[in-house]
């Protein structure tokens, strides 16, 4: 007996040159997709008529700091709005962290993300804290939520690998404890030379422990910040490109065109992945500018046009670096469309790919990702015509199916214009989200 059939869903195939749309039934058994067909004859224990709604692979959050989520204002607000004041505030807040504190906030966030159709999350865990509490908490949570959410943890040395004697040891210990990826922050090391050495150290550790790499790289407006070329050189040397990610790279938006042109060629040789965080970097960067003010984003359009893999991340939700946000990847894509000038028809679709399939490539989880027979039944249903429409409306998924179970459903807001009166006569029905017993 089949467990679940979703009937009359609209499936869009992005994998070919031409976008193809088909109306299909999807059958689910034992957590896997067992059939996708236009008119599936069998019946199931549970059946839902999707009435033509869009079926999409789930959103991938390729870059978030779950250890700091939901701490905005603690112990104080970021008044300068800069990355560096954010690091100081977090430095004070992290003296107070406990396992319970991190796990509670991160779990709240993961549920909020699941409700919004995210089923794969790469989180950074600050490992420049001597007890590695954030790391331990996120590693435990990774295992506890694995039946409905896939979490990857990056060991991220927020304060620099060489800024304090013990930080190098803590980073290696984090890998021994089971972090999935090694991080770095070369632009925040004390000198250019330490920055270069830190990138080399990250590659050395990744090779030693066979881990992925995700480096916070050149997250500054300084056009002299050129660690991306070092990451590219190491990726070319080690042939690790597809397992390497350069996050943020906002300085790339400030490099002169002659240098940027040369660099793009090196990046194509390196074949590394890129993550831009449009919501956060539009606010963190440009703070030292008068006018015109920079956008604080890497060259997303040029990277994409040159065939490099780019995804978008949210980066923060209500923390010292960004006090707003709900975790929605459609908010992220929406901001990306704006600040990267990706408003062309194909470009909007590309931005949807940047919060779905491209993120899956970066996380190296493609074997378990996508709406295909034989793959885990992990996908979402959106009341939207297509991906352009989804970004435009930023609608919450009607259903979120993870590993064969409907884990969240959202009843859309309904506006009532039927009341008569003098002033605007509408009332709003609150959105309601219900979680099944799985969570
Ligand atoms: N830490 C960092 O170095 N950069 C960021 N954007 C955040 C934390 C959120
Ligand atoms: Fe980040």
């Amino acid at each position: 007996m089949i467990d679940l059939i979703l009937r009359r869903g609209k499936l869009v195939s992005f994998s070919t040159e031409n976008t193809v749309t088909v109306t299909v039934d999807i059958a689910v058994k034992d957590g896997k997709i067992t059939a996708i067909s236009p008119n599936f004859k069998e019946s199931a224990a549970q059946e839902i008529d999707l009435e033509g709604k869009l079926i999409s692979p789930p959103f991938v959050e390729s870059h978030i700091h779950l250890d700091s989520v939901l701490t905005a204002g603690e112990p104080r607000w970021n008044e300068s709005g800069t990355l560096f004041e954010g690091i100081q505030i977090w430095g004070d807040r992290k003296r107070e962290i406990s396992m319970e504190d991190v796990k509670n906030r991160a779990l709240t966030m993961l549920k909020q993300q699941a409700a919004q159709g995210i089923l794969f999350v790469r989180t950074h865990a600050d490992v420049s804290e001597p007890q590695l509490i954030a790391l331990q908490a996120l590693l435990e949570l990774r295992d506890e939520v694995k039946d409905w959410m896939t979490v990857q943890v990056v060991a991220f040395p927020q304060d620099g690998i060489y800024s304090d004697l013990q930080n190098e040891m803590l980073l290696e210990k984090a890998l021994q404890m089971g972090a999935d990826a090694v991080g770095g922050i070369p632009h925040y090391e004390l000198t250019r030379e330490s920055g270069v050495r830190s990138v080399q150290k990250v590659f050395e550790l990744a090779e030693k422990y066979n881990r992925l790499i995700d480096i916070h790289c050149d997250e500054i407006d300084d056009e002299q910040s050129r660690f991306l070329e070092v990451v590219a050189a190491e990726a070319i040397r080690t042939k690790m490109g597809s397992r390497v990610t350069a996050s943020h790279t906002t300085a790339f938006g400030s490099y002169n065109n002659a240098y940027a042109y040369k660099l793009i060629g090196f990046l194509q040789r390196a074949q590394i992945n890129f993550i831009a965080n449009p919501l956060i970097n539009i606010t963190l960067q440009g703070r030292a500018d008068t006018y015109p003010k920079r956008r604080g984003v890497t060259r997303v359009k040029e990277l994409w046009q040159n065939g490099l893999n780019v995804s978008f991340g949210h980066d923060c939700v209500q923390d010292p670096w960004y006090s707003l946000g709900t975790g929605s990847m459609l908010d992220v894509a929406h901001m990306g469309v704006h600040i990267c000038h990706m408003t062309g028809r194909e470009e909007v679709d590309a931005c949807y790919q940047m919060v779905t399939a491209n993120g899956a490539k970066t996380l190296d989880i493609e074997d378990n990702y996508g709406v295909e027979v034989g793959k885990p039944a992990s996908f979402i249903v959106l009341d939207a015509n297509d991906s352009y429409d989804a970004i435009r409306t930023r609608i919450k998924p009607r259903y979120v199916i993870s590993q064969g179970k409907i884990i969240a459903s959202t009843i859309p807001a309904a506006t009532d214009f039927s009341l008569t009166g003098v002033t605007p006569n509408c009332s709003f029905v609150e959105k309601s989200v219900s979680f099944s017993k799985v969570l």
Side-chain angles (χ1 to χ4, degrees):
M1 184 73 173
I2 292 155
D3 302 328
L4 171 68
I5 298 177
L6 297 151
R7 297 212 184 264
R8 294 200 297 154
K10 192 161 57 172
L11 194 58
V12 184
S13 162
F14 293 104
S15 54
T16 53
E17 288 282 305
N18 307 320
T19 306
V20 183
T21 307
V22 280
T23 301
V24 292
D25 299 341
I26 295 191
V28 173
K29 187 175 164 57
D30 298 333
K32 295 236 156 67
I33 298 175
T34 53
I36 301 178
S37 90
N39 200 347
F40 193 61
K41 293 281 179 284
E42 294 174 50
S43 55
Q46 188 183 10
E47 297 205 8
I48 297 174
D49 186 357
L50 299 183
E51 299 167 325
K53 292 185 187 65
L54 187 68
I55 296 169
S56 166
F59 295 117
V60 177
E61 170 56 279
S62 55
H63 188 124
I64 190 166
H65 298 254
L66 284 178
D67 51 1
S68 57
V69 290
L70 311 178
T71 64
E74 299 170 12
R76 61 186 184 280
W77 210 254
N78 185 340
E79 297 295 347
S80 68
T82 58
L83 167 66
F84 303 107
E85 186 176 344
I87 294 175
Q88 281 170 2
I89 296 169
W90 172 241
D92 291 341
R93 178 60 174 78
K94 80 187 175 197
R95 281 193 214 106
E96 310 289 315
I97 61 171
S98 65
M99 293 286 285
E100 201 188 3
D101 166 42
V102 177
K103 281 177 88 171
N104 282 343
R105 286 184 290 99
L107 180 60
T108 303
M109 195 63 234
L110 288 172
K111 285 191 184 176
Q112 213 167 296
Q113 289 172 312
Q116 299 184 89
I118 299 167
L119 295 179
F120 297 88
V121 171
R122 174 180 283 182
T123 178
H124 295 263
D126 183 357
V127 296
S128 34
E129 172 271 304
Q131 297 182 68
L132 296 178
I133 289 170
L135 179 84
Q136 284 184 60
L138 294 176
L139 290 177
E140 277 190 24
L141 200 57
R142 176 185 70 183
D143 294 337
E144 287 163 17
V145 302
K146 69 176 182 346
D147 292 341
W148 54 274
M149 177 70 93
T150 302
V151 175
Q152 229 174 50
V153 182
V154 184
F156 171 51
Q158 174 69 80
D159 299 340
I161 300 177
Y162 299 114
S163 58
D164 190 293
L165 267 183
Q166 61 181 351
N167 286 4
E168 187 179 357
M169 176 276 289
L170 288 170
L171 180 60
E172 181 154 6
K173 194 166 163 206
L175 301 177
Q176 289 163 353
M177 285 166 64
D180 302 283
V182 201
I185 183 164
H187 55 277
Y188 195 53
E189 298 291 349
L190 292 168
T191 62
R192 157 93 201 162
E193 288 69 24
S194 316
V196 172
R197 198 152 58 94
S198 77
V199 172
Q200 291 162 343
K201 183 73 195 177
V202 169
F203 275 80
E204 181 192 314
L205 289 171
E207 286 198 301
K208 181 171 173 189
Y209 292 93
N210 190 25
R211 302 297 153 86
L212 300 165
I213 290 174
D214 190 334
I215 297 176
H216 277 63
C217 190
D218 301 318
E219 189 186 9
I220 189 164
D221 289 321
D222 178 11
E223 73 285 358
Q224 300 290 323
S225 186
R226 294 186 173 182
F227 296 103
L228 180 53
E229 65 182 21
V230 183
V231 174
E234 285 295 289
I236 291 167
R237 181 182 66 78
T238 57
K239 300 190 174 59
M240 283 180 68
S242 65
R243 293 173 61 76
V244 176
T245 299
S247 278
H248 297 290
T249 63
T250 56
F252 199 176
S254 296
Y255 298 158
N256 66 71
N257 282 341
Y259 176 68
Y261 180 78
K262 178 192 78 170
L263 186 59
I264 285 269
F266 292 172
L267 297 172
Q268 283 178 316
R269 277 172 63 191
Q271 284 297 311
I272 60 173
N273 305 289
F274 289 84
I275 301 177
N277 298 288
L279 277 175
I280 274 57
N281 287 122
I282 187 78
T283 68
L284 287 182
Q285 311 311 133
R287 292 284 178 164
D289 292 353
T290 52
Y291 289 91
K293 286 178 188 287
R294 275 169 280 199
R295 290 171 180 237
V297 73
T298 194
R299 297 192 184 209
V300 168
K301 189 189 284 212
E302 288 78 0
L303 291 167
W304 168 68
Q305 285 171 335
N306 283 283
L308 288 152
N309 187 47
V310 186
S311 66
F312 284 144
H314 205 301
D315 203 13
C316 320
V317 178
Q318 294 176 268
D319 76 2
W321 294 277
Y322 185 70
S323 58
L324 307 168
T326 65
S328 161
M329 295 317 291
L330 287 174
D331 282 354
V332 175
H334 192 258
M335 181 58 89
V337 166
H338 288 77
I339 71 168
C340 304
H341 277 170
M342 296 282 283
T343 49
R345 189 61 184 81
E346 272 185 33
E347 292 167 355
V348 176
D349 281 346
C351 288
Y352 193 83
Q353 297 289 85
M354 290 179 194
V355 292
T356 52
N358 297 8
K361 184 158 195 266
T362 295
L363 267 61
D364 200 24
I365 43 103
E366 283 173 303
D367 288 352
N368 288 325
Y369 187 84
V371 187
E372 289 168 36
V373 172
K375 291 209 168 164
S378 297
F379 54 88
I380 61 176
V381 176
L382 294 164
D383 196 357
N385 294 326
D386 50 25
S387 52
Y388 156 80
D389 202 28
I391 291 178
R392 185 184 66 78
T393 60
R394 284 163 285 150
I395 197 163
K396 267 195 178 177
R398 180 70 185 87
Y399 299 107
V400 180
I401 293 108
S402 181
Q403 300 173 38
K405 296 194 176 72
I406 301 174
I407 61 161
S409 67
T410 297
I411 295 160
T415 306
D416 180 1
F417 285 107
S418 71
L419 302 172
T420 51
V422 187
T423 43
N425 48 8
C426 43
S427 64
F428 292 94
V429 177
E430 274 295 303
K431 281 182 187 165
S432 59
V433 181
S434 65
F435 287 103
S436 71
K437 290 251 158 45
V438 188
L439 302 201

